[in-house]
Amino acid sequence: MLFDSSNLEAELGCLTKPDGSAKFTINDTVQLCGVYGPGEVKLMKEIAERASVSVVYKPRVGLNTNREKVFEYTLRSILDGIIITSLHPRTAINVIIQEVQNDSNYLACSLNCACLALLDANIPLKYTFASVSCALIENENRIIYFPNAKQEKESLMSGTFVFDSVDKDLISVNTSGVFDQDQFNFILNNARQYAIDKIFPLFNKLINQQYNKN
Amino acid sequence: MREVPLSLAEYDFVIKALQDNLRLDRRSVYDIRDIKINFLKTRGACIVSIGNTQISAQVSADIVKPKDSRPNEGILKINLELSPMGAQHFEVGKQSDQGVELNRLLEKNLKQSRFLDIETLCIRAGEKVWQIRIDLNVLNYEGNILDCANIAVICAVSHFRLPEVSVTGDQIKIFTPEERNPIPLITIHMPITLSFAFFDQGKYLVVDPTELEEKCMDGKLVIGMNRHREICTMQLSGNMLLLKDQIKRCVDITANKVAKLTEFIQEELNKTTSDLDQNQSVRTSSLADKMSLT
């Protein structure tokens, strides 16, 4: 049985200063994302044939620690592959993600948020992407989409999947826990279906609203 | 990325408009932009916006050893970060001159005016006290960070609840929210700041300057005051001199605005506390509904 009570909400262009911004809510997790660029690049970061993408992840409390560094690294490696960086050589694209409210699903939330903010900033992308995180509950073979912190801890495995919008192929996956090939395929297919059913339509709806308004 | 420089045309335009008592956002010179206070689900978190300037605040508490010079006082830390999300020229980690000035002003206004009763934060003198830390992040910079941050700190601190602690002999026990209701922090007064921007050697004055006005101004006067008309901070920066009467007039304007703002903040706070109390019962019932559905 698939049990889904996830509350997904998104907002485009909630900040005036960044070139693009978005807010994404998954249950009790809220994140804001701002995108600046393409713009002037620091000499040290300049790359002759493409834009340099940098990601800053700001925690809710305190200063940056290793946890934030890991997030920044993961996000950067995903975004760098999706943004068509060769169109803007010798520029910088800065993505800043701010935690507003914490629960779990950080990576999925920041990726969805970043995708919307990049769209809002009119940065050329190879495709849009949607991220789903899910947990497999041990004995029932049941999947929980966007588990909360407690569910994630109790689960057999949990993972965050990223899909592209064109072929609905897997771009990136991040898992924790022990599982076999069949379980992985099972959870992957379900996550893909969830992205097709829930997240891409949400993106479409938002973009439609945004551009029909003007 | 570098800051977008101010063009001469823009500068002239702002000054010319001010000569006719006009501002670019159609405000009158003594108006403050709309203030919105948005409390989040977690205790001690809020987003405050003045016009388009947005700042998020988050309060957190830790138990630490007190300072040797003040063994029976808790510690209050205010940390305002000019997050790169706020504007393209803000950078991570590096404290700019602007950042240092804002942090100092906030400290002066709140910490040194004893806005929070830090003696109540003492658990055991000389050994353990609460450290209250307030993290502020500038989400969107459209001028007047100080006033926005100041209100954000006041709101977040008033919204925060501290876990209850009991001391028996050597044992210190911290109660979880389920065991005992957390207690609010004790604030003594609300020192609210108001920023004035001066143009043309103090000839023109503007309340709550926007980013463009901040770039064009000659100098800035910050007055922090509570509703009893007690001045907590006063700072004049920039290259200009003011007459005594001008400062007196600014103090009068501040007193007027502070009275209104205090009332507004109090109202918003009361609204959320009653909302939160109601929500608690609503939340449990909806959970029960969900359980019966599965």
Side-chain angles (χ1 to χ4, degrees):
Chain A
M1 189 194 74
L2 298 177
F3 176 65
D4 179 31
S5 62
S6 304
N7 168 33
L8 302 177
E9 272 172 46
E11 200 186 322
L12 268 185
C14 34
L15 303 174
T16 54
K17 205 75 194 178
D19 297 319
S21 59
K23 189 184 197 174
F24 204 86
T25 309
I26 301 176
N27 298 332
D28 280 347
T29 312
V30 183
Q31 292 188 341
L32 262 172
C33 179
V35 173
Y36 285 96
E40 186 215 18
V41 66
K42 270 200 202 128
L43 209 60
M44 221 173 66
K45 285 185 178 169
E46 187 177 297
I47 309 171
E49 65 273 20
R50 59 193 193 90
S52 97
V53 178
S54 73
V55 176
V56 177
Y57 190 93
K58 296 282 269 171
R60 200 171 56 103
V61 177
L63 301 168
N64 274 27
T65 56
N66 286 343
R67 168 180 172 265
E68 283 74 36
K69 280 271 174 301
V70 171
F71 277 132
E72 281 174 9
Y73 179 78
T74 322
L75 289 166
R76 208 196 77 88
S77 58
I78 296 172
L79 295 181
D80 205 22
I82 291 167
I83 298 169
I84 310 180
T85 47
S86 54
L87 278 181
H88 299 286
R90 293 166 56 223
T91 58
I93 295 170
N94 296 339
V95 179
I96 304 107
I97 291 162
Q98 169 79 48
E99 286 180 351
V100 179
Q101 204 164 273
N102 288 19
D103 183 37
S104 58
N105 311 309
Y106 301 107
L107 199 57
C109 194
S110 11
L111 276 165
N112 287 332
C113 198
C115 175
L116 287 173
L118 286 167
L119 283 174
D120 191 42
N122 298 324
I123 305 264
L125 305 176
K126 285 185 190 140
Y127 29 69
T128 56
F129 53 99
S131 176
V132 180
S133 79
C134 30
L136 190 66
I137 300 294
E138 196 155 3
N139 37 37
E140 306 159 58
N141 231 14
R142 201 182 82 179
I143 294 177
I144 298 180
Y145 298 101
F146 299 115
N148 61 32
K150 194 171 157 244
Q151 287 166 331
E152 201 176 323
K153 223 176 187 176
E154 288 167 353
S155 66
L156 182 69
M157 72 155 291
S158 59
T160 303
F161 300 83
V162 189
F163 301 99
D164 76 65
S165 59
V166 181
D167 300 324
K168 312 290 188 284
D169 272 340
L170 189 65
I171 299 173
S172 168
V173 61
N174 211 313
T175 59
S176 66
V178 185
F179 49 89
D180 59 31
Q181 184 78 49
D182 289 341
Q183 281 170 326
F184 180 77
N185 285 340
F186 172 67
I187 205 166
L188 171 65
N189 288 330
N190 277 293
R192 177 181 291 135
Q193 201 53 48
Y194 191 90
I196 295 169
D197 288 348
K198 287 270 162 72
I199 300 181
F200 284 123
L202 178 73
F203 286 4
N204 280 342
K205 202 180 104 194
L206 267 174
I207 299 290
N208 270 333
Q209 271 174 6
Q210 178 82 5
Y211 289 97
N212 286 343
K213 195 166 61 187
N214 307 330
Chain B
M1 274 175 235
R2 225 173 300 174
E3 189 179 359
V4 181
L6 176 76
S7 67
L8 276 175
E10 276 175 306
Y11 178 83
D12 287 344
F13 188 61
V14 170
I15 302 288
K16 282 238 174 71
L18 274 173
Q19 286 169 357
D20 299 331
N21 257 338
L22 292 171
R23 290 173 84 172
L24 293 183
D25 48 7
R26 299 183 185 181
R27 270 185 291 163
S28 91
V29 285
Y30 298 127
D31 278 354
I32 303 177
R33 290 168 286 177
D34 281 347
I35 298 179
K36 273 196 206 109
I37 303 168
N38 187 3
F39 291 99
L40 304 172
K41 232 178 179 177
T42 22
R43 276 290 184 180
C46 67
I47 296 180
V48 173
S49 52
I50 296 188
N52 281 329
T53 299
Q54 259 187 54
I55 291 181
S56 77
Q58 171 69 50
V59 182
S60 51
D62 261 326
I63 295 180
V64 294
K65 201 172 176 291
K67 286 179 192 151
D68 290 335
S69 52
R70 298 187 180 273
N72 55 354
E73 283 185 3
I75 299 168
L76 176 68
K77 271 193 173 171
I78 301 173
N79 179 38
L80 172 74
E81 272 210 51
L82 301 179
S83 155
M85 186 181 266
Q88 53 189 358
H89 59 280
F90 292 166
E91 275 175 48
V92 220
K94 209 167 69 182
Q95 273 269 32
S96 58
D97 289 352
Q98 192 189 9
V100 175
E101 190 197 347
L102 288 167
N103 268 310
R104 280 291 302 140
L105 268 169
L106 276 178
E107 238 169 54
K108 210 192 280 178
N109 189 45
L110 297 163
K111 240 163 113 172
Q112 293 177 9
S113 74
R114 303 186 67 81
F115 140 79
L116 194 66
D117 187 2
I118 45 176
E119 273 163 15
T120 57
L121 297 174
C122 177
I123 300 169
R124 166 166 284 183
E127 282 174 32
K128 283 191 164 60
V129 292
W130 282 109
Q131 183 190 58
I132 306 292
R133 184 193 165 93
I134 304 146
D135 285 288
L136 296 154
N137 270 303
V138 180
L139 304 178
N140 205 32
Y141 171 48
E142 294 276 6
N144 205 0
I145 293 180
L146 183 73
D147 295 359
C148 193
N150 190 64
I151 294 175
V153 172
I154 292 174
C155 291
V157 166
S158 315
H159 189 241
F160 186 66
R161 295 291 181 271
L162 196 65
E164 206 173 306
V165 175
S166 80
V167 185
T168 40
D170 278 348
Q171 290 260 309
I172 294 172
K173 189 176 182 335
I174 305 168
F175 293 98
T176 59
E178 287 79 28
E179 287 170 330
R180 276 196 201 174
N181 269 345
I183 42 174
L185 297 171
I186 298 166
T187 52
I188 297 169
H189 63 149
M190 276 192 199
I192 292 168
T193 57
L194 198 65
S195 305
F196 298 86
F198 290 91
F199 303 83
D200 208 358
Q201 291 305 305
K203 209 165 152 197
Y204 307 107
L205 162 155
V206 148
V207 176
D208 179 25
T210 59
E211 195 201 357
L212 187 60
E213 284 164 346
E214 277 182 358
K215 277 183 185 166
C216 300
M217 70 188 176
D218 284 345
K220 190 171 163 182
L221 176 69
V222 174
I223 301 179
M225 192 193 274
N226 63 18
R227 67 166 160 199
H228 309 299
R229 250 180 161 258
E230 291 164 333
I231 294 173
C232 310
T233 329
M234 189 180 291
Q235 180 183 283
L236 181 65
S237 50
N239 300 323
M240 52 150 209
L241 299 166
L242 289 181
L243 296 167
K244 204 165 92 187
D245 284 347
Q246 279 178 305
I247 294 178
K248 270 188 180 163
R249 202 178 63 174
C250 289
V251 170
D252 284 339
I253 298 168
T254 316
N256 184 357
K257 297 278 180 204
V258 164
K260 280 183 202 156
L261 280 175
T262 314
E263 206 173 296
F264 172 74
I265 293 170
Q266 206 65 57
E267 221 169 78
E268 292 287 311
L269 277 169
N270 290 342
K271 234 189 272 168
T272 48
T273 37
S274 61
D275 269 4
L276 273 177
D277 293 342
Q278 272 175 8
N279 263 349
Q280 262 169 357
S281 57
V282 171
R283 206 178 296 156
T284 44
S285 73
S286 71
L287 192 70
D289 286 347
K290 271 182 197 164
M291 298 285 268
S292 64
L293 273 175
T294 58

